[in-house]
Amino acid sequence: MIEKEVKIKVCCSEMERIMNVMRKIGAKVLGNYREVDIYFAHPCRDFSKTDETLRIRTFNGKDLCELTYKGPRTCSERGVKAREEITARILRSDVKGLALILRRLGFKEVTRVSKERVEFQIGEVKVALDRVEKLGCFIEIEFPKEELLGRILDMLNIEEKFVEKTYLEMLLTHNLKSIKNN
Amino acid sequence: MIEKEVKIKVCCSEMERIMNVMRKIGAKVLGNYREVDIYFAHPCRDFSKTDETLRIRTFNGKDLCELTYKGPRTCSERGVKAREEITARILRSDVKGLALILRRLGFKEVTRVSKERVEFQIGEVKVALDRVEKLGCFIEIEFPKEELLGRILDMLNIEEKFVEKTYLEMLLTHNLKSIKNN
């Protein structure tokens, strides 16, 4: 229930090379989906201050979607994020109903994050290759122990330069800039 | 999405007779479950004043449970209740996760209502025979048009004396009395 992960910005031209390394080292493909996340604001709590999130995630071609809550981040010096994550799976056909329940309870839709994600599993480590709409390409690595992270970074030959922001925060900043420029 | 229903208190000794009538008139059994409803209070809205409810319902032996929101009741002179009802189905294995998400969002568990429900369908009408823990036996009839209700009541030979209160309200009153008597 405690998710420990890092996010790394990469050039989209690098994605093919990283994908090939994952295949070469025998990583198992967990999924290849278009994911759309709808983020909600709390009716009486400012999530941007409490550092929490609530979202509904849908996957193209999957019969289930997910309601996920994430608690406040703790961030190590190296930039490794750890936060509580709780998920409940909902029938895809009921996703509109779920969003309506949240709206009736006073939650408000903030924004949507769309991405193409290819997810791999190698031992206890999960590696996600994300092409995020409006934001570019990222690698997310979820791991139980820090030494496993080092090994994966070595194999992938990518720099240890972690992004602390979430996609939601990056997209809100991006949207703000777009408004200012117009 | 607008649920129209009446609730009638009956003697538990009457349940067998009513069950037999339902079978005789060819009603289809939709289900026979032990249902447990967990009701939640909103973090910043008094549901007892706004006349809303939020609950998680689990069914014994079913792989799905339900998250349901009900909006304010409107009640006709005859005692027919109508209210918005929105439901999303969740994997049973994730029900603890869902309750935890609600708690993290500030919702508080108010009480649980347990009942044995046998549910029948006859045409467009649904009839539920409920044995509710601590409260006794009730018939709930859900119908799209009022003339259908009259016909069902005639067939079942039960008095048109409708209970406006929900099980939740009745149970909270019951619990309050128990505390006062102790």
Side-chain angles (χ1 to χ4, degrees):
Chain A
M1 244 166 61
I2 298 293
E3 183 202 52
K4 223 168 156 184
E5 67 168 30
V6 296
K7 185 192 263 106
I8 302 153
K9 178 103 178 83
V10 293
C11 288
C12 286
S13 58
E14 276 278 271
M15 293 288 264
E16 201 52 42
R17 183 190 65 76
I18 295 166
M19 196 96 75
N20 284 333
V21 176
M22 291 310 294
R23 285 193 197 105
K24 236 182 240 169
I25 62 176
K28 189 185 146 198
V29 177
L30 287 182
N32 184 348
Y33 295 107
R34 171 150 208 91
E35 298 178 356
V36 180
D37 294 340
I38 312 172
Y39 285 91
F40 291 89
H42 193 279
C44 47
R45 201 190 281 174
D46 186 344
F47 275 170
S48 70
K49 283 182 186 148
T50 58
D51 192 22
E52 297 166 286
T53 59
L54 182 71
R55 69 157 191 238
I56 299 177
R57 172 170 290 177
T58 54
F59 308 83
N60 67 321
K62 224 178 169 179
D63 289 338
L64 292 170
C65 63
E66 294 176 350
L67 176 69
T68 297
Y69 164 87
K70 291 194 185 194
R73 275 164 285 185
T74 57
C75 212
S76 79
E77 263 175 53
R78 279 178 76 194
V80 173
K81 280 184 296 183
R83 64 193 312 191
E84 185 186 32
E85 180 172 332
I86 318 163
T87 290
R89 286 161 297 171
I90 286 113
L91 291 197
R92 170 66 192 245
S93 52
D94 291 355
V95 72
K96 277 192 184 167
L98 178 65
L100 192 55
I101 291 173
L102 289 176
R103 279 205 291 278
R104 289 288 187 270
L105 295 172
F107 290 81
K108 287 200 173 60
E109 192 182 319
V110 177
T111 194
R112 289 173 187 229
V113 175
S114 291
K115 64 177 176 298
E116 302 280 348
R117 166 169 281 185
V118 187
E119 201 175 18
F120 295 93
Q121 174 102 38
I122 176 98
E124 293 173 277
V125 179
K126 275 185 190 167
V127 180
L129 277 62
D130 294 340
R131 282 175 196 272
V132 190
E133 231 174 74
K134 296 179 190 166
L135 300 179
C137 293
F138 297 84
I139 312 287
E140 275 198 350
I141 307 174
E142 214 185 299
F143 52 91
K145 293 173 225 145
E146 299 230 0
E147 66 255 34
L148 293 173
L149 171 66
R151 241 184 279 166
I152 288 282
L153 291 172
D154 280 349
M155 283 195 278
L156 293 178
N157 191 25
I158 43 178
E159 223 185 320
E160 196 181 302
K161 213 173 154 186
F162 305 138
V163 179
E164 286 181 24
K165 282 195 171 181
T166 63
Y167 292 138
L168 171 64
E169 288 166 335
M170 284 188 263
L171 193 70
L172 290 177
T173 307
H174 168 92
N175 290 346
L176 206 65
K177 278 184 191 159
S178 306
I179 293 168
K180 280 184 184 163
N181 291 338
N182 280 324
Chain B
M1 245 166 62
I2 298 293
E3 182 202 53
K4 222 169 157 185
E5 67 166 31
V6 296
K7 186 192 262 105
I8 302 152
K9 177 104 179 82
V10 292
C11 288
C12 286
S13 58
E14 277 277 273
M15 293 286 264
E16 200 54 42
R17 183 189 67 75
I18 295 164
M19 195 97 75
N20 284 334
V21 176
M22 293 309 295
R23 285 194 197 105
K24 236 182 239 169
I25 61 177
K28 188 185 146 199
V29 178
L30 287 182
N32 183 347
Y33 294 108
R34 170 149 211 92
E35 297 178 359
V36 180
D37 294 341
I38 311 174
Y39 285 91
F40 291 88
H42 193 280
C44 47
R45 200 190 283 173
D46 185 345
F47 275 171
S48 69
K49 283 183 186 145
T50 58
D51 191 23
E52 297 165 288
T53 59
L54 182 72
R55 69 157 191 238
I56 299 176
R57 172 171 290 177
T58 55
F59 307 83
N60 67 320
K62 226 178 166 179
D63 289 338
L64 293 170
C65 64
E66 295 176 351
L67 177 70
T68 297
Y69 165 86
K70 291 193 185 194
R73 276 164 283 187
T74 56
C75 211
S76 78
E77 263 175 52
R78 279 178 77 196
V80 174
K81 280 184 296 183
R83 66 194 310 192
E84 186 186 30
E85 180 172 332
I86 318 163
T87 290
R89 287 160 297 171
I90 287 113
L91 291 197
R92 170 67 193 246
S93 52
D94 291 354
V95 71
K96 277 191 183 166
L98 177 65
L100 192 55
I101 290 174
L102 289 176
R103 279 203 291 278
R104 288 288 186 270
L105 296 171
F107 290 81
K108 287 200 173 60
E109 191 182 321
V110 177
T111 193
R112 289 173 186 230
V113 176
S114 291
K115 64 177 176 298
E116 302 280 347
R117 167 169 281 185
V118 187
E119 201 176 17
F120 295 93
Q121 174 103 38
I122 177 98
E124 292 174 278
V125 179
K126 274 186 192 166
V127 179
L129 278 62
D130 293 342
R131 282 173 197 272
V132 190
E133 231 174 72
K134 295 180 190 164
L135 299 179
C137 293
F138 297 84
I139 312 287
E140 274 198 350
I141 307 173
E142 215 185 299
F143 52 91
K145 293 174 225 144
E146 298 231 359
E147 66 255 36
L148 294 174
L149 172 65
R151 241 184 278 166
I152 287 282
L153 290 173
D154 279 350
M155 282 194 278
L156 293 178
N157 192 24
I158 44 177
E159 224 186 320
E160 196 181 303
K161 212 173 154 187
F162 305 137
V163 179
E164 286 182 22
K165 282 196 171 180
T166 62
Y167 292 139
L168 172 63
E169 289 166 336
M170 284 189 263
L171 193 70
L172 290 177
T173 308
H174 169 91
N175 291 346
L176 206 66
K177 279 184 191 159
S178 306
I179 291 167
K180 280 184 184 162
N181 291 339
N182 281 325

